[in-house]
Amino acid sequence: MALSRRSFSALAGTAALGLALGGSGGPGAPAAYAARSVPTGPPPPEPHADGRPHTVGFDHYSLLVDGRRLVLWSGEMHPFRLPSPSLWWDVLQKMRAHGHNAVSICVAWNYHSPAPDRYDFTGVRDLDLFLRTAAETGLYVVVRPGPYINAEVDGGGLPGWLTAAPGTARTADPAYLRHVDTWLTHVDAIVSRHLYTRGTGTVLLYQIENEYDSHVDEPAGRDYMAHLYRKVRRDGIDVPLFHNDKGRNGHWVPGSFDTGGEKGRWLYGFDGYPSPSRTPPDWGHFGTGGRTGGATASPHTPGFVPEFGGGWFDPWGGVSFRGKGYAEARRTRDAAYERRFHLTNLANGITLHNVYMTFGGTSWGWLPAPVVYTSYDYGAALDEGRQPTDKLVPMHQIGHMLQRVPDFAKLDRAPEVKAAGLTTYHLTNPDTGAHVHVLRNDHDKDVTSTLPVGGTDLPVTVPARDARLMVAGLSLGQRRLRYSTAQPMLLMSAGRQDVAVFTGWSGEMVSLALEAAEEPLVTRLDPDVAYVYDQGLMRVTAPLGGGRLLRMLVQGDGENRPLLLLFADEAASVRLWPRDTPSGSLLVYGPELLRTAALRDSAVHLTGDTVEAAGLEVWGPRGIERVVWNGGAVRTSVSGSASLCSAAPLPGVPKVELPPLGGWRARTENPESGPNFDDSGWRLADKSASYSTTEVPKGQPVLFADDYGFHYGDVWYRGTFTDSTGIEAVELAYSTGTQGLLMAWLDGEPLGTHRMPVPDSRTIRKGSWADTAVLPVRPERRSPGRHVLSVLVRRMQHDQDGRAQDTHKAARGLTAASFTGASPKVRWRIQGEAAPDPVRGPMNNGGLFGEREGWHLPGFPDRDWEAVDFPRAERRQGVTWYRTTFPLAVPPGIDASIGLVMEDDPSRAYRAQIFLNGWNMGQYVNDVGPQHTFVLPNGILRTRGTNTLALAVLSEFTTLSGPGRVRLTLLGAAAGGVPVTPVASPGR
Ligand code: GAL
C-alpha cells in the first residue's frame, strides 16, 4: 500500500509540524516555513532501536526528528568493501566517537546477486547485521541501494548477469524494471525492518537513484523515478526519500516527477567533489545560482549534500597517467581542506552532510570498476587499514559541535561582517541570537586580520588555505558567551557542572569573553589560562599547544551552575569523548579512542583503544565513584574540576611481531593452452545474437564472455580448426576494462601477449577498451591437420553506466578472431569462472584453472608442489601459483591491522591475484602499480592461528617474472579493538 499524505500526518502527529507545512516542496510550496514554529532546542537523543515510533520530517533549515532539529553529520562507508562483519563495529564505533551521528551506505546489487532472481544477504553480505550494528552503535543510517550506485565498482553495481539481459538499464523499460523490482523487494524487506520511524532500527533516509541525469526531461526518466519512488513506498519504506544530483543541475527537485500524490517526503540532494586547489564554492541556500546553485534549486528542503568529496579515487599507475597512491589524495585533501570546505558548506546553510568516503576500504576480488585498483582507501579520514588520520581532527571537532551546539541547526544569513584579507560569512540563529562567523583564508600565506564582534575588534589569524569558525552571543549553560576566537566543540552538562570545550590550532592564543554581572569565583586549574574581569565581562585567554587540555573552572553562584572551560589544540581535541547515557552525560579524556560507555551501580564502564600509554579522566554524573577500562578496574582520584583521574596511565599497545613469509610451494598451470586438453565440458560459443552494446562482428559467433554466463575474472577460449598451412598471423579482437590483456597459444606454443593500451589523461574517462592483437605465426607452426588456438583474456571489469547508456553491457573477452593468410573455420569453446563460491560470492574468482580446481583454498593438497624461495625470476607465458601458510599469534585484546607488501623490479611484466584463506584480496600489477600494500582484514586473517596465502601469478614472456619480495606489514596496532569473529573460509 502506498502511504498517503494522511497516513503520514497521522504517523507524524503534531511533532512533525515542519513536515506537514514546510517540507511540501515543489512549485507553489508555502513560503511561510514551518521553521518559524520549530524553535531551536536540544537535538534528538542518540538513536537506537528503541521500540518507539518516531517522526522524520524537515523544513528548509534542517531535518526534524520527533520535531527536534537534527544536523546530519554522516560518513560514507561501504559494507561490501570490508568483508569482515566484526570490523563494521570497529569502523562504526570510530565514526561515532569522532563526531558522526550517521553512516551512509551504498548497497551494491551485483554483490548480492550472482544470477537473475538469486539473492544472497548472508555472511559478509548480511545487510541486516550491518543495520543492527549501526543501530547498536547509535548511528542513523542513510541507505543507498542504487539500483545504480557508480561508486567505482564493477558495472557501477549493476549485476554481471544484467549485461546479458534484455532491457535498457536505468530507464522505465519493463524488462529492466522487473529485475529492479526483485532487487528492491529483497533490499527493502531488510531495510524496512530497521526504520527509525518504527523504532526497530535507525534508518533515517533512503536514496532511490544515484546521479541520474540522462533522461531527466524524458518520460523514460520521469517514469523510472516515479516507479522507483512508488515501489520503495509500497515496500514499506516510510522515511524521506531522495536522489543524489550529479553536481548541481537542479535535477529531481520536489515536484519534478510523480510521487503518487505524496508530498513533503522527498528531499533534494546534490553532490560535490570540488578541486582542493580551488576556492570552496557557495553551494548552499545562501549561494546564488538558482537551479544550478546546489541547495538553491530547492528552497523548501534543507541543504543536503549526500556526497561531498572527503578524498578521491586513484587510477591505476602507468606511463602517462599515473595513479599516485592514496598518500597523495590525503595530502591534497588534508585536514585543512576538510575544515575549509565543510565550514563553507555550513556557512551556506547545508545541514545534511555526508562525506564520501569516511572509510573507503577495499574493492576486493573483482569488485573494482575499471578506473580503480584494489585499494579504495580514498585518502579518507579513516584509512583502509582502519587507522585514524589527521583528517579526523576537523571532522571530530565540527561533528561534535553540530550535535552539541543546537544553534547550528537553524541559521540565517546575517549582515556581512568583514575581516580584511579573509572571506567571511556571518550567520545568526533567529531564536537564540547566537552569531556564527566563518572566516576563510583563500591565500597561500597565513592571514592576520581583525573581526569586529560584540563591540570588540578581535584579532584573528587564519592559516594559509584554511578556515576558522567563531561564535558570539552563545549560551554556555546558564552563562552567555559574548564572543570566542576559538571554535566551540562541546557544550554539555556533566554532573553538577556545565562543560564547554573550545578548540584551535596548536601554538595560538585563543580568547573568549563571558558575560557576568559580577566577577565570578574562578579556579585556575592551569596557570596558563588567564583572565581579567572588567565591567561585566570576563575575558579569558588560553595558549594552545603541546597536545594539552587547558582548564579553568568558573564557580557556580546563586544563579549559575559551575562552568568548566576546556581549551584543546588539535591533538587534545581528538582525545575528548563526550557520551550520553540514560543516567547522564560523560566526558572522557585521554585514550586514543572511546568505543562504549555505560554507567552501572557507581561505576563507569568504558571500552576503547590506547596506542601510547595514556591518562584517563572522566567527568560524569554525580555518584560515580569507580572507573572500569576494558574490563579492568582503574585506580582514580578526584581532580579539582570534579573529574575522576587515573592514578597511573593506561598501558599502550605492546610491540606486535609478524613472521617472515617462507616455505613457498609452486606449481604452473594453464593446461588449457595445450592441444590435448579436454574441453568437452566447456560451453560451445555458438550464439549469434547478444544484448551487448558491442556489435557482433559479421560472420562470427558471439564470443563475449557475459553471454555465456561468465561475468568476473579471467576467461579462456579454445578454438579448434583444421589446417594452419597458410596462416601468417592470428588477429584477436578483444575488449576489456583498463589494464586488460590477452595471451594466446597455438597448439601449446606461446604466440604472445597483448596488453590494452594504458589510458592517459585524455582517454581515462572513455571507459571500455578494445583493441586487436596481431600475433604472427611462425612457419614451423603451419601444418595441415587439427590445431588448437588457446586464448586467455584477463578482461578486468565492466564499465560503469554513469550516463545510463548501458555501457556496462560493452563486451568483455574476445570479440572476433580472424587470420591472415588463411580463413579456417574455427569452433570455439569458452570457460570462465566456475559456480560462484557459496561463501565468498560471485566476484571472488575468475576462470583460471587453479581457481576452478580450488588451488586458492585453504587445505588444498600442495605437498607435491615444488618448494621454492622468493624472489623468483622466471621467464614464462602463463599462470604459476605459489602457496604458503603462516601462523600469527597476536595477543588477545590487541587490534593489529596487517597488510601484505609485494615489491619487485618495476620493469617485470607480471601480476598476481592474492588469495588469503581463499578470499581474493586483490590484484597486484607489478609493472603498473601504484598499489604495493594489500590490506588483510582481521576475520579473514586469523590473527591467532594459521593462514593460507596463495598467489596466482600471470606472467608475460617479454620479461622475467617474480614474485619478488613478499612480506607482511603492520599498518597499525592498538590495545583494545573489537572482538573479531572468524569469517567462514571453507577449504578443500
Ligand atoms: C560520485 C558518485 C559516487 C562515486 C564518486 C567518485 O559522482 O556518485 O558513486 O563514484 O562520484 O568517487
Side-chain angles (χ1 to χ4, degrees):
M1 180 201 79
L3 281 167
S4 66
R5 171 91 186 270
R6 192 181 315 139
S7 56
F8 268 114
S9 306
L11 185 84
T14 49
L17 206 57
L19 147 81
L21 297 177
S24 56
Y33 305 125
R36 299 276 171 237
S37 58
V38 180
T40 302
E46 182 175 285
H48 290 281
D50 57 11
R52 286 196 288 268
H54 298 278
T55 63
V56 184
F58 53 84
D59 63 12
H60 97 127
Y61 286 113
S62 72
L63 285 176
L64 296 166
V65 172
D66 296 329
R68 299 202 201 178
R69 296 201 171 279
L70 174 78
V71 179
L72 202 71
W73 187 248
S74 168
E76 181 91 6
M77 79 160 286
H78 295 153
F80 57 84
R81 284 186 157 118
L82 186 54
S84 176
S86 310
L87 299 184
W88 297 341
W89 279 108
D90 180 57
V91 170
L92 294 178
Q93 287 180 347
K94 282 172 176 160
M95 282 192 190
R96 175 74 196 87
H98 284 293
H100 294 87
N101 57 6
V103 57
S104 164
I105 58 166
C106 286
V107 193
W109 185 357
N110 55 6
Y111 192 68
H112 294 274
S113 182
D117 300 319
R118 279 185 44 207
Y119 286 88
D120 178 3
F121 288 89
T122 62
V124 300
R125 295 172 167 71
D126 193 341
L127 178 62
D128 194 89
L129 175 60
F130 183 88
L131 296 176
R132 282 200 317 270
T133 308
E136 284 182 39
T137 309
L139 289 168
Y140 293 110
V141 187
V142 180
V143 180
R144 312 197 300 145
Y148 180 79
I149 60 171
N150 209 60
E152 290 74 66
V153 289
D154 184 296
L158 298 176
W161 54 261
L162 198 66
T163 61
T168 308
R170 312 187 71 196
T171 67
D173 187 325
Y176 166 70
L177 291 184
R178 185 182 84 74
H179 294 306
V180 165
D181 285 355
T182 311
W183 162 239
L184 291 177
T185 298
H186 281 90
V187 178
D188 292 345
I190 297 167
V191 174
S192 61
R193 294 203 290 268
H194 298 274
L195 296 170
Y196 194 57
T197 41
R198 298 188 191 164
T200 50
T202 53
V203 172
L204 190 73
L205 302 173
Y206 183 112
Q207 182 182 317
I208 65 168
E209 243 290 0
N210 191 54
E211 296 192 325
Y212 186 56
D213 66 353
S214 307
H215 304 288
V216 178
D217 296 319
E218 301 160 25
R222 279 197 302 268
D223 293 352
Y224 176 45
M225 290 293 278
H227 178 93
L228 295 174
Y229 189 100
R230 286 196 293 249
K231 164 68 181 153
V232 167
R233 285 290 188 234
R234 258 199 326 274
D235 286 347
I237 308 296
D238 59 5
V239 295
L241 305 180
F242 69 97
H243 162 263
N244 173 35
D245 190 6
K246 181 178 193 152
R248 294 135 307 279
N249 305 300
H251 292 157
W252 309 117
V253 293
S256 57
F257 67 100
D258 179 7
T259 50
E262 193 176 286
K263 287 192 171 154
R265 305 295 290 165
W266 176 254
L267 287 164
Y268 171 69
F270 62 94
D271 65 17
Y273 291 84
S275 160
S277 56
R278 304 260 301 270
T279 304
D282 293 327
W283 287 341
H285 278 310
F286 306 135
T288 52
R291 223 181 135 72
T292 56
T296 44
S298 180
H300 306 300
T301 58
F304 180 13
V305 189
E307 291 180 16
F308 192 83
W312 188 241
F313 64 82
D314 197 40
W316 286 99
V319 187
S320 45
F321 190 58
R322 194 183 287 276
K324 293 181 180 147
Y326 282 109
E328 180 65 9
R330 203 166 273 116
R331 189 187 67 77
T332 52
R333 289 176 174 81
D334 60 2
Y337 159 89
E338 303 290 348
R339 197 160 30 233
R340 210 156 68 99
F341 283 78
H342 293 306
L343 289 182
T344 301
N345 286 347
L346 206 78
N348 278 287
I350 306 287
T351 57
L352 285 83
H353 308 255
N354 178 50
V355 177
Y356 189 105
M357 303 293 297
T358 295
F359 169 78
T362 308
S363 306
W364 60 280
W366 291 102
L367 254 175
V371 285
V372 291
Y373 47 91
T374 301
S375 173
Y376 199 66
D377 175 281
Y378 218 78
L382 282 168
D383 73 17
E384 190 189 356
R386 300 177 288 110
Q387 305 304 303
T389 71
D390 286 354
K391 292 177 51 147
L392 271 177
V393 173
M395 311 311 284
H396 179 100
Q397 294 175 349
I398 297 172
H400 285 299
M401 173 184 81
L402 294 177
Q403 290 172 61
R404 298 204 178 248
V405 185
D407 308 67
F408 283 98
K410 189 176 178 184
L411 290 174
D412 289 322
R413 260 293 156 83
E416 196 172 20
V417 178
K418 285 194 172 162
L422 297 169
T423 304
T424 53
Y425 299 85
H426 179 202
L427 305 109
T428 182
N429 181 301
D431 303 326
T432 65
H435 291 257
V436 176
H437 299 269
V438 171
L439 297 90
R440 198 178 67 219
N441 180 354
D442 293 325
H443 310 287
D444 291 330
K445 282 193 191 137
D446 297 1
V447 169
T448 297
S449 184
T450 54
L451 185 79
V453 171
T456 311
D457 276 349
L458 294 176
V460 285
T461 298
V462 183
R465 307 190 78 72
D466 210 325
R468 77 185 302 150
L469 180 141
M470 292 165 48
V471 285
L474 193 70
S475 297
L476 303 186
Q478 290 154 315
R479 297 197 181 265
R480 196 165 170 83
L481 181 77
R482 176 72 62 86
Y483 64 78
S484 166
T485 66
Q487 184 170 304
M489 177 173 129
L490 297 173
L491 302 179
M492 61 192 296
S493 295
R496 288 199 186 94
Q497 62 195 8
D498 295 323
V499 183
V501 178
F502 291 88
T503 64
W505 289 282
S506 178
E508 74 167 330
M509 178 73 84
V510 293
S511 62
L512 58 76
L514 281 183
E515 294 173 2
E518 287 176 23
E519 180 168 358
L521 273 179
V522 167
T523 308
R524 281 174 66 198
L525 300 163
D526 274 295
D528 288 347
V529 184
Y531 75 96
V532 289
Y533 179 81
D534 184 28
Q535 298 181 19
L537 266 196
M538 190 179 136
R539 295 174 203 268
V540 184
T541 53
L544 301 182
R548 291 181 310 158
L549 184 67
L550 301 173
R551 306 132 211 257
M552 188 173 115
L553 181 62
V554 183
Q555 300 283 4
D557 53 31
E559 280 169 36
N560 299 297
R561 281 152 55 86
L563 173 64
L564 176 65
L565 294 173
L566 300 175
F567 299 92
D569 65 2
E570 297 98 319
S573 70
V574 282
R575 284 161 174 255
L576 271 169
W577 314 105
R579 275 299 150 129
D580 299 319
T581 77
S583 329
S585 298
L586 291 174
L587 181 61
V588 177
Y589 175 62
E592 254 94 4
L593 180 68
L594 181 73
R595 293 181 181 273
T596 61
L599 300 179
R600 279 197 302 278
D601 307 326
S602 55
V604 47
H605 296 259
L606 306 174
T607 65
D609 290 5
T610 54
V611 178
E612 306 293 334
L616 178 65
E617 185 168 7
V618 183
W619 291 269
R622 290 153 68 176
I624 298 299
E625 287 159 11
R626 291 176 299 120
V627 177
V628 178
W629 175 257
N630 287 344
V634 178
R635 226 159 32 85
T636 56
S637 57
V638 180
S639 77
S641 66
S643 60
L644 291 176
C645 281
S646 62
L650 304 172
V653 66
K655 194 165 165 23
V656 174
E657 303 281 355
L658 299 176
L661 297 176
W664 293 97
R665 301 242 164 211
R667 182 165 170 187
T668 57
E669 49 133 286
N670 54 278
E672 302 93 332
S673 61
N676 299 322
F677 179 82
D678 178 9
D679 61 15
S680 57
W682 289 18
R683 289 283 310 262
L684 208 55
D686 58 355
K687 292 192 175 185
S688 55
S690 168
Y691 292 112
S692 169
T693 51
T694 306
E695 238 175 89
V696 180
K698 274 215 169 59
Q700 300 254 351
V702 176
L703 293 174
F704 316 157
D706 288 298
D707 286 81
Y708 298 96
F710 305 122
H711 304 302
Y712 303 108
D714 296 308
V715 57
W716 275 98
Y717 297 84
R718 282 172 55 87
T720 310
F721 61 94
T722 315
D723 196 354
S724 65
T725 319
I727 296 178
E728 289 154 18
V730 184
E731 292 187 15
L732 298 169
Y734 72 121
S735 167
T736 71
T738 317
Q739 303 299 344
L741 64 70
L742 166 155
M743 287 176 180
W745 292 260
L746 185 60
D747 302 325
E749 294 298 319
L751 288 179
T753 296
H754 182 276
R755 283 171 72 150
M756 270 303 154
V758 173
D760 60 27
S761 49
R762 282 171 300 110
T763 52
I764 182 80
R765 294 204 174 272
K766 271 200 191 153
S768 216
W769 292 86
D771 206 353
T772 300
V774 180
L775 306 170
V777 173
R778 281 190 283 139
E780 57 270 32
R781 302 236 174 93
R782 304 176 195 161
S783 65
R786 176 181 177 269
H787 294 277
V788 181
L789 176 62
S790 299
V791 183
L792 172 64
V793 183
R794 174 144 299 182
R795 38 84 182 265
M796 305 301 280
Q797 296 88 339
H798 301 98
D799 293 333
Q800 298 178 101
D801 186 30
R803 304 178 68 188
Q805 291 172 340
D806 262 354
T807 43
H808 60 293
K809 289 187 172 175
R812 287 295 178 263
L814 280 185
T815 52
S818 57
F819 301 85
T820 44
S823 40
K825 177 122 187 60
V826 184
R827 182 182 153 90
W828 286 103
R829 285 189 185 268
I830 179 170
Q831 176 67 54
E833 69 270 25
D837 183 311
V839 170
R840 301 174 181 95
M843 290 154 129
N844 195 63
N845 293 102
L848 292 183
F849 184 82
E851 290 178 281
R852 299 188 327 256
E853 296 290 315
W855 295 11
H856 58 296
L857 295 173
F860 184 84
D862 58 15
R863 272 183 305 276
D864 58 339
W865 292 21
E866 187 192 352
V868 297
D869 289 322
F870 287 179
R872 305 288 291 163
E874 304 269 309
R875 191 182 290 275
R876 177 167 190 272
Q877 173 176 296
V879 186
T880 310
W881 285 71
Y882 299 90
R883 286 172 57 93
T884 190
T885 57
F886 63 91
L888 288 176
V890 178
I894 302 299
D895 180 6
S897 177
I898 294 168
L900 183 79
V901 181
M902 297 188 68
E903 288 157 325
D904 205 349
D905 172 348
S907 69
R908 294 185 174 178
Y910 72 93
R911 48 187 74 191
Q913 288 179 74
I914 299 163
F915 291 96
L916 174 69
N917 297 328
W919 292 81
N920 184 343
M921 299 284 65
Q923 183 177 191
Y924 170 71
V925 184
N926 181 63
D927 56 344
V928 173
Q931 185 174 7
H932 289 272
T933 301
F934 292 78
V935 173
L936 308 176
N938 295 346
I940 289 181
L941 184 71
R942 277 27 176 182
T943 54
R944 295 177 65 69
T946 301
N947 296 278
T948 302
L949 188 62
L951 304 175
V953 176
L954 184 63
S955 311
E956 297 175 34
F957 193 74
T958 46
T959 68
L960 290 172
S961 170
R965 297 175 301 280
V966 180
R967 62 183 164 87
L968 298 174
T969 187
L970 190 64
L971 304 170
V978 293
V980 175
T981 306
V983 176
S985 301
R988 274 273 295 196

